[in-house]
PDB file of all heavy atoms in Angstrom:
ATOM      1  N   ALA B 211      -1.883 -13.720  -1.000  1.00 95.00           N
ATOM      2  CA  ALA B 211      -3.168 -14.172  -0.480  1.00 95.00           C
ATOM      3  C   ALA B 211      -4.005 -14.934  -1.474  1.00 95.00           C
ATOM      4  O   ALA B 211      -4.601 -16.034  -1.181  1.00 95.00           O
ATOM      5  CB  ALA B 211      -3.887 -12.963   0.077  1.00 95.00           C
ATOM      6  N   LYS B 212      -4.018 -14.446  -2.647  1.00 97.00           N
ATOM      7  CA  LYS B 212      -4.786 -15.022  -3.763  1.00 97.00           C
ATOM      8  C   LYS B 212      -4.364 -16.473  -4.013  1.00 97.00           C
ATOM      9  O   LYS B 212      -5.228 -17.356  -4.090  1.00 97.00           O
ATOM     10  CB  LYS B 212      -4.609 -14.215  -4.997  1.00 97.00           C
ATOM     11  CG  LYS B 212      -5.202 -14.839  -6.271  1.00 97.00           C
ATOM     12  CD  LYS B 212      -4.914 -13.901  -7.494  1.00 97.00           C
ATOM     13  CE  LYS B 212      -5.163 -14.541  -8.831  1.00 97.00           C
ATOM     14  NZ  LYS B 212      -4.811 -13.581  -9.948  1.00 97.00           N
ATOM     15  N   PHE B 213      -3.061 -16.739  -4.188  1.00 98.00           N
ATOM     16  CA  PHE B 213      -2.567 -18.039  -4.541  1.00 98.00           C
ATOM     17  C   PHE B 213      -2.450 -19.023  -3.401  1.00 98.00           C
ATOM     18  O   PHE B 213      -2.293 -20.250  -3.546  1.00 98.00           O
ATOM     19  CB  PHE B 213      -1.273 -17.947  -5.286  1.00 98.00           C
ATOM     20  CG  PHE B 213      -1.477 -17.472  -6.727  1.00 98.00           C
ATOM     21  CD1 PHE B 213      -1.364 -16.074  -7.057  1.00 98.00           C
ATOM     22  CD2 PHE B 213      -1.833 -18.313  -7.722  1.00 98.00           C
ATOM     23  CE1 PHE B 213      -1.528 -15.598  -8.362  1.00 98.00           C
ATOM     24  CE2 PHE B 213      -2.165 -17.908  -9.019  1.00 98.00           C
ATOM     25  CZ  PHE B 213      -1.882 -16.492  -9.332  1.00 98.00           C
ATOM     26  N   THR B 214      -2.337 -18.516  -2.096  1.00 96.00           N
ATOM     27  CA  THR B 214      -2.287 -19.446  -1.008  1.00 96.00           C
ATOM     28  C   THR B 214      -3.670 -19.864  -0.522  1.00 96.00           C
ATOM     29  O   THR B 214      -3.839 -20.926   0.074  1.00 96.00           O
ATOM     30  CB  THR B 214      -1.467 -18.832   0.146  1.00 96.00           C
ATOM     31  OG1 THR B 214      -2.102 -17.573   0.484  1.00 96.00           O
ATOM     32  CG2 THR B 214      -0.036 -18.610  -0.223  1.00 96.00           C
ATOM     33  N   GLN B 215      -4.651 -19.073  -0.828  1.00 97.00           N
ATOM     34  CA  GLN B 215      -6.083 -19.338  -0.271  1.00 97.00           C
ATOM     35  C   GLN B 215      -6.918 -20.037  -1.365  1.00 97.00           C
ATOM     36  O   GLN B 215      -8.086 -20.477  -1.045  1.00 97.00           O
ATOM     37  CB  GLN B 215      -6.697 -18.038   0.122  1.00 97.00           C
ATOM     38  CG  GLN B 215      -6.033 -17.403   1.247  1.00 97.00           C
ATOM     39  CD  GLN B 215      -6.687 -16.071   1.649  1.00 97.00           C
ATOM     40  OE1 GLN B 215      -7.969 -15.909   1.503  1.00 97.00           O
ATOM     41  NE2 GLN B 215      -5.926 -15.116   2.098  1.00 97.00           N
ATOM     42  N   ASN B 216      -6.528 -20.169  -2.535  1.00 97.00           N
ATOM     43  CA  ASN B 216      -7.242 -20.851  -3.658  1.00 97.00           C
ATOM     44  C   ASN B 216      -6.316 -22.054  -4.103  1.00 97.00           C
ATOM     45  O   ASN B 216      -5.386 -21.814  -4.912  1.00 97.00           O
ATOM     46  CB  ASN B 216      -7.607 -19.947  -4.804  1.00 97.00           C
ATOM     47  CG  ASN B 216      -8.616 -18.908  -4.348  1.00 97.00           C
ATOM     48  OD1 ASN B 216      -9.826 -19.120  -4.283  1.00 97.00           O
ATOM     49  ND2 ASN B 216      -8.112 -17.689  -3.955  1.00 97.00           N
ATOM     50  N   GLU B 217      -6.707 -23.279  -3.762  1.00 97.00           N
ATOM     51  CA  GLU B 217      -5.919 -24.425  -4.049  1.00 97.00           C
ATOM     52  C   GLU B 217      -5.756 -24.625  -5.603  1.00 97.00           C
ATOM     53  O   GLU B 217      -4.674 -24.981  -6.028  1.00 97.00           O
ATOM     54  CB  GLU B 217      -6.459 -25.647  -3.408  1.00 97.00           C
ATOM     55  CG  GLU B 217      -5.517 -26.866  -3.524  1.00 97.00           C
ATOM     56  CD  GLU B 217      -4.224 -26.685  -2.735  1.00 97.00           C
ATOM     57  OE1 GLU B 217      -4.144 -25.930  -1.813  1.00 97.00           O
ATOM     58  OE2 GLU B 217      -3.283 -27.360  -3.227  1.00 97.00           O
ATOM     59  N   ASP B 218      -6.767 -24.407  -6.313  1.00 97.00           N
ATOM     60  CA  ASP B 218      -6.718 -24.656  -7.788  1.00 97.00           C
ATOM     61  C   ASP B 218      -5.748 -23.647  -8.433  1.00 97.00           C
ATOM     62  O   ASP B 218      -5.005 -24.031  -9.319  1.00 97.00           O
ATOM     63  CB  ASP B 218      -8.129 -24.512  -8.425  1.00 97.00           C
ATOM     64  CG  ASP B 218      -8.821 -23.205  -8.117  1.00 97.00           C
ATOM     65  OD1 ASP B 218      -8.517 -22.546  -7.072  1.00 97.00           O
ATOM     66  OD2 ASP B 218      -9.676 -22.768  -8.842  1.00 97.00           O
ATOM     67  N   LEU B 219      -5.833 -22.435  -7.938  1.00 97.00           N
ATOM     68  CA  LEU B 219      -4.918 -21.376  -8.517  1.00 97.00           C
ATOM     69  C   LEU B 219      -3.442 -21.602  -8.142  1.00 97.00           C
ATOM     70  O   LEU B 219      -2.533 -21.501  -8.854  1.00 97.00           O
ATOM     71  CB  LEU B 219      -5.318 -19.982  -8.068  1.00 97.00           C
ATOM     72  CG  LEU B 219      -6.744 -19.511  -8.482  1.00 97.00           C
ATOM     73  CD1 LEU B 219      -6.943 -18.109  -8.019  1.00 97.00           C
ATOM     74  CD2 LEU B 219      -6.982 -19.711  -9.917  1.00 97.00           C
ATOM     75  N   LYS B 220      -3.296 -22.160  -6.896  1.00 97.00           N
ATOM     76  CA  LYS B 220      -2.013 -22.487  -6.413  1.00 97.00           C
ATOM     77  C   LYS B 220      -1.389 -23.569  -7.240  1.00 97.00           C
ATOM     78  O   LYS B 220      -0.118 -23.437  -7.694  1.00 97.00           O
ATOM     79  CB  LYS B 220      -2.117 -23.007  -4.956  1.00 97.00           C
ATOM     80  CG  LYS B 220      -0.779 -23.379  -4.391  1.00 97.00           C
ATOM     81  CD  LYS B 220      -0.952 -23.931  -2.864  1.00 97.00           C
ATOM     82  CE  LYS B 220       0.342 -24.459  -2.353  1.00 97.00           C
ATOM     83  NZ  LYS B 220       0.099 -24.975  -0.938  1.00 97.00           N
ATOM     84  N   GLN B 221      -2.137 -24.598  -7.541  1.00 97.00           N
ATOM     85  CA  GLN B 221      -1.597 -25.667  -8.387  1.00 97.00           C
ATOM     86  C   GLN B 221      -1.169 -25.128  -9.813  1.00 97.00           C
ATOM     87  O   GLN B 221      -0.169 -25.579 -10.379  1.00 97.00           O
ATOM     88  CB  GLN B 221      -2.585 -26.788  -8.500  1.00 97.00           C
ATOM     89  CG  GLN B 221      -2.853 -27.567  -7.240  1.00 97.00           C
ATOM     90  CD  GLN B 221      -1.485 -28.124  -6.630  1.00 97.00           C
ATOM     91  OE1 GLN B 221      -0.617 -28.675  -7.389  1.00 97.00           O
ATOM     92  NE2 GLN B 221      -1.345 -27.894  -5.396  1.00 97.00           N
ATOM     93  N   MET B 222      -2.012 -24.236 -10.317  1.00 97.00           N
ATOM     94  CA  MET B 222      -1.652 -23.672 -11.664  1.00 97.00           C
ATOM     95  C   MET B 222      -0.325 -22.946 -11.595  1.00 97.00           C
ATOM     96  O   MET B 222       0.475 -22.925 -12.538  1.00 97.00           O
ATOM     97  CB  MET B 222      -2.703 -22.730 -12.135  1.00 97.00           C
ATOM     98  CG  MET B 222      -4.036 -23.469 -12.472  1.00 97.00           C
ATOM     99  SD  MET B 222      -5.343 -22.298 -13.019  1.00 97.00           S
ATOM    100  CE  MET B 222      -6.755 -23.368 -13.056  1.00 97.00           C
ATOM    101  N   LEU B 223      -0.146 -22.253 -10.440  1.00 98.00           N
ATOM    102  CA  LEU B 223       1.086 -21.473 -10.310  1.00 98.00           C
ATOM    103  C   LEU B 223       2.361 -22.424 -10.165  1.00 98.00           C
ATOM    104  O   LEU B 223       3.354 -22.206 -10.809  1.00 98.00           O
ATOM    105  CB  LEU B 223       0.999 -20.578  -9.092  1.00 98.00           C
ATOM    106  CG  LEU B 223       2.251 -19.722  -8.766  1.00 98.00           C
ATOM    107  CD1 LEU B 223       2.523 -18.732  -9.920  1.00 98.00           C
ATOM    108  CD2 LEU B 223       2.036 -18.871  -7.455  1.00 98.00           C
ATOM    109  N   LEU B 224       2.164 -23.485  -9.411  1.00 97.00           N
ATOM    110  CA  LEU B 224       3.214 -24.414  -9.157  1.00 97.00           C
ATOM    111  C   LEU B 224       3.645 -25.132 -10.444  1.00 97.00           C
ATOM    112  O   LEU B 224       4.796 -25.550 -10.585  1.00 97.00           O
ATOM    113  CB  LEU B 224       2.802 -25.420  -8.118  1.00 97.00           C
ATOM    114  CG  LEU B 224       2.566 -24.897  -6.694  1.00 97.00           C
ATOM    115  CD1 LEU B 224       2.251 -25.999  -5.711  1.00 97.00           C
ATOM    116  CD2 LEU B 224       3.832 -24.103  -6.141  1.00 97.00           C
ATOM    117  N   GLU B 225       2.713 -25.332 -11.320  1.00 97.00           N
ATOM    118  CA  GLU B 225       2.960 -25.938 -12.646  1.00 97.00           C
ATOM    119  C   GLU B 225       3.926 -25.185 -13.479  1.00 97.00           C
ATOM    120  O   GLU B 225       4.388 -25.746 -14.517  1.00 97.00           O
ATOM    121  CB  GLU B 225       1.597 -26.270 -13.351  1.00 97.00           C
ATOM    122  CG  GLU B 225       0.821 -27.342 -12.712  1.00 97.00           C
ATOM    123  CD  GLU B 225      -0.572 -27.535 -13.304  1.00 97.00           C
ATOM    124  OE1 GLU B 225      -0.844 -26.831 -14.292  1.00 97.00           O
ATOM    125  OE2 GLU B 225      -1.355 -28.244 -12.761  1.00 97.00           O
ATOM    126  N   THR B 226       4.149 -23.829 -13.138  1.00 97.00           N
ATOM    127  CA  THR B 226       5.064 -23.077 -13.989  1.00 97.00           C
ATOM    128  C   THR B 226       6.553 -23.204 -13.479  1.00 97.00           C
ATOM    129  O   THR B 226       7.288 -22.448 -13.931  1.00 97.00           O
ATOM    130  CB  THR B 226       4.656 -21.686 -13.916  1.00 97.00           C
ATOM    131  OG1 THR B 226       4.851 -21.094 -12.598  1.00 97.00           O
ATOM    132  CG2 THR B 226       3.217 -21.378 -14.348  1.00 97.00           C
ATOM    133  N   LYS B 227       6.725 -24.146 -12.596  1.00 95.00           N
ATOM    134  CA  LYS B 227       8.049 -24.388 -12.010  1.00 95.00           C
ATOM    135  C   LYS B 227       9.156 -24.371 -13.086  1.00 95.00           C
ATOM    136  O   LYS B 227       8.999 -25.013 -14.130  1.00 95.00           O
ATOM    137  CB  LYS B 227       8.067 -25.769 -11.290  1.00 95.00           C
ATOM    138  CG  LYS B 227       9.417 -26.135 -10.668  1.00 95.00           C
ATOM    139  CD  LYS B 227       9.431 -27.437 -10.012  1.00 95.00           C
ATOM    140  CE  LYS B 227      10.753 -27.865  -9.492  1.00 95.00           C
ATOM    141  NZ  LYS B 227      10.717 -29.250  -8.754  1.00 95.00           N
ATOM    142  N   GLY B 228      10.255 -23.735 -12.780  1.00 94.00           N
ATOM    143  CA  GLY B 228      11.394 -23.723 -13.690  1.00 94.00           C
ATOM    144  C   GLY B 228      11.354 -22.634 -14.728  1.00 94.00           C
ATOM    145  O   GLY B 228      12.215 -22.565 -15.614  1.00 94.00           O
ATOM    146  N   THR B 229      10.290 -21.879 -14.699  1.00 96.00           N
ATOM    147  CA  THR B 229      10.188 -20.762 -15.685  1.00 96.00           C
ATOM    148  C   THR B 229       9.944 -19.420 -14.998  1.00 96.00           C
ATOM    149  O   THR B 229       9.531 -19.402 -13.801  1.00 96.00           O
ATOM    150  CB  THR B 229       8.976 -20.989 -16.614  1.00 96.00           C
ATOM    151  OG1 THR B 229       7.684 -20.827 -15.916  1.00 96.00           O
ATOM    152  CG2 THR B 229       8.962 -22.379 -17.183  1.00 96.00           C
ATOM    153  N   THR B 230      10.108 -18.335 -15.680  1.00 96.00           N
ATOM    154  CA  THR B 230       9.814 -16.991 -15.159  1.00 96.00           C
ATOM    155  C   THR B 230       8.489 -16.608 -15.782  1.00 96.00           C
ATOM    156  O   THR B 230       8.255 -16.696 -16.967  1.00 96.00           O
ATOM    157  CB  THR B 230      10.880 -16.015 -15.653  1.00 96.00           C
ATOM    158  OG1 THR B 230      12.152 -16.315 -15.023  1.00 96.00           O
ATOM    159  CG2 THR B 230      10.488 -14.582 -15.217  1.00 96.00           C
ATOM    160  N   LEU B 231       7.520 -16.299 -14.917  1.00 97.00           N
ATOM    161  CA  LEU B 231       6.272 -15.763 -15.436  1.00 97.00           C
ATOM    162  C   LEU B 231       6.440 -14.435 -16.028  1.00 97.00           C
ATOM    163  O   LEU B 231       7.105 -13.601 -15.453  1.00 97.00           O
ATOM    164  CB  LEU B 231       5.235 -15.786 -14.300  1.00 97.00           C
ATOM    165  CG  LEU B 231       4.783 -17.163 -13.927  1.00 97.00           C
ATOM    166  CD1 LEU B 231       5.249 -17.549 -12.580  1.00 97.00           C
ATOM    167  CD2 LEU B 231       3.211 -17.238 -13.983  1.00 97.00           C
ATOM    168  N   VAL B 232       5.823 -14.211 -17.225  1.00 98.00           N
ATOM    169  CA  VAL B 232       5.958 -12.940 -17.959  1.00 98.00           C
ATOM    170  C   VAL B 232       4.671 -12.423 -18.361  1.00 98.00           C
ATOM    171  O   VAL B 232       3.839 -13.093 -19.049  1.00 98.00           O
ATOM    172  CB  VAL B 232       6.815 -13.174 -19.226  1.00 98.00           C
ATOM    173  CG1 VAL B 232       7.027 -11.918 -19.954  1.00 98.00           C
ATOM    174  CG2 VAL B 232       8.186 -13.796 -18.837  1.00 98.00           C
TER     175      VAL B 232
END
Side-chain angles (χ1 to χ4, degrees):
K212 169 183 172 179
F213 285 97
T214 55
Q215 294 178 35
N216 291 278
E217 189 62 29
D218 56 336
L219 301 184
K220 177 181 177 181
Q221 290 306 314
M222 292 179 190
L223 180 62
L224 296 183
E225 288 172 5
T226 68
K227 177 183 177 181
T229 71
T230 295
L231 285 110
V232 180

